[in-house]
Amino acid sequence: MVHYQPVDRTFGALADPTRRVVLERLGRGSATISELAEPSGMTLTGMKKHVRVLEEAQLVVTVKVGRTRLCHLGPRRLDDVREWVDIYRQMVNEQLDRFGELLDRTKGEPH
Amino acid sequence: MVHYQPVDRTFGALADPTRRVVLERLGRGSATISELAEPSGMTLTGMKKHVRVLEEAQLVVTVKVGRTRLCHLGPRRLDDVREWVDIYRQMVNEQLDRFGELLDRTKGEPH
DNA sequence: CTGATAGTGAACCATCAGGTTCAGTATCGC
DNA sequence: GCGATACTGAACCTGATGGTTCACTATCAG
């Protein structure tokens, strides 16, 4: 563990397929914990945990409405991911040429 | 667990700060396991594991050269992330208006 | 050949993550 | 008020993850 960074949470939150499904569902409109849990047959408690993770990553915002909790997509943190991916992609492009050269060199060598 | 998807590995690999540091390092040029491990003081075995994760996510490619293993950035999988982020971002934009309306509505309600 | 170097794999350990059950609490509908 | 509903939190279980040590193999330099 190098050091804590918000982007950790973002990537971590996105790494779970259940949570990506939740985000996709919320992309079609707000939903309660029950509504999010129902399709997968997960318990409310389990889904609540996922929603919490998404909330901490600021990918989702929730509002308690009566006895239900309405969940919506949140606006933030995606910039972190986007920025990182862009930087990374740039690095890849810069490296690819050298990598190709290296492959060509090592190809000729005995292993 | 909904179902396995390659993008899981990608996000999972990116979720660890140590691994992102490795990717950034490789962005400045190829490196051996030792060279990757040295800055953080991690054991070679530990770093090897991280490199393996990055390899499985196809974010990194390695070549055994003599007794060293050269690691380079890999070209793939980033498209998965990029695509997902773009879709997600589009959803967010579509939702933001409705979310704003909802906030306005609930604001007036007694809690 | 020989010692030092670089990596590897197995085994182990501690912590975290995803999930459950169960026992609340708060709210809704009547 | 009262039962049903929706969520919440604590406690617990299991498997994965991040890391180590240790013994071993392969290669390099001389």
Side-chain angles (χ1 to χ4, degrees):
Chain A
M1 279 297 166
V2 175
H3 225 60
Y4 173 76
Q5 288 219 278
V7 70
D8 291 0
R9 285 196 184 173
T10 313
F11 280 122
L14 292 172
D16 186 281
T18 303
R19 286 194 289 265
R20 290 201 308 277
V21 167
V22 166
L23 289 176
E24 282 160 14
R25 167 65 185 79
L26 292 180
R28 302 196 304 276
S30 304
T32 65
I33 304 284
S34 301
E35 288 164 352
L36 293 177
E38 189 268 321
S40 64
M42 193 179 300
T43 57
L44 294 187
T45 310
M47 181 51 69
K48 173 90 188 322
K49 282 193 181 182
H50 280 300
V51 168
R52 159 112 74 150
V53 172
L54 291 167
E55 253 191 305
E56 284 173 350
Q58 302 189 47
L59 291 166
V60 158
V61 178
T62 74
V63 187
K64 190 72 188 250
V65 178
R67 62 182 159 173
T68 71
R69 177 172 294 276
L70 261 187
C71 310
H72 333 267
L73 291 184
R76 293 221 254 151
R77 289 293 156 234
L78 252 294
D79 292 333
D80 286 357
V81 180
R82 166 67 77 112
E83 185 182 349
W84 206 91
V85 168
D86 283 348
I87 291 172
Y88 176 81
R89 169 171 292 236
Q90 187 185 349
M91 293 192 303
V92 169
N93 289 336
E94 287 171 2
Q95 282 306 104
L96 273 181
D97 299 342
R98 288 183 246 173
F99 181 40
E101 291 172 18
L102 181 128
L103 275 183
D104 292 342
R105 280 205 309 277
T106 52
K107 209 174 290 173
E109 294 174 4
H111 63 297
Chain B
M1 279 298 164
V2 174
H3 223 59
Y4 173 76
Q5 290 220 278
V7 69
D8 291 1
R9 284 197 184 171
T10 313
F11 280 123
L14 292 171
D16 186 281
T18 303
R19 287 194 288 265
R20 288 201 310 278
V21 166
V22 165
L23 290 175
E24 282 159 16
R25 167 65 185 80
L26 293 180
R28 301 197 305 275
S30 304
T32 65
I33 304 284
S34 301
E35 287 164 352
L36 293 176
E38 188 267 322
S40 64
M42 192 179 301
T43 57
L44 295 187
T45 310
M47 180 51 68
K48 173 91 188 320
K49 282 192 181 182
H50 280 300
V51 168
R52 159 112 76 149
V53 172
L54 290 168
E55 253 191 305
E56 284 173 349
Q58 301 188 46
L59 291 166
V60 158
V61 178
T62 74
V63 188
K64 190 73 187 251
V65 177
R67 62 182 158 173
T68 70
R69 176 172 296 276
L70 261 186
C71 309
H72 333 268
L73 290 184
R76 293 220 254 154
R77 289 293 155 235
L78 252 295
D79 292 334
D80 288 356
V81 180
R82 166 67 75 111
E83 184 182 350
W84 206 92
V85 168
D86 283 348
I87 292 172
Y88 176 82
R89 170 173 292 235
Q90 186 184 350
M91 293 192 304
V92 168
N93 289 337
E94 288 170 2
Q95 282 305 104
L96 274 182
D97 300 341
R98 288 184 247 172
F99 182 40
E101 292 172 17
L102 181 128
L103 277 182
D104 292 341
R105 281 204 308 277
T106 52
K107 208 174 292 173
E109 294 173 5
H111 60 296

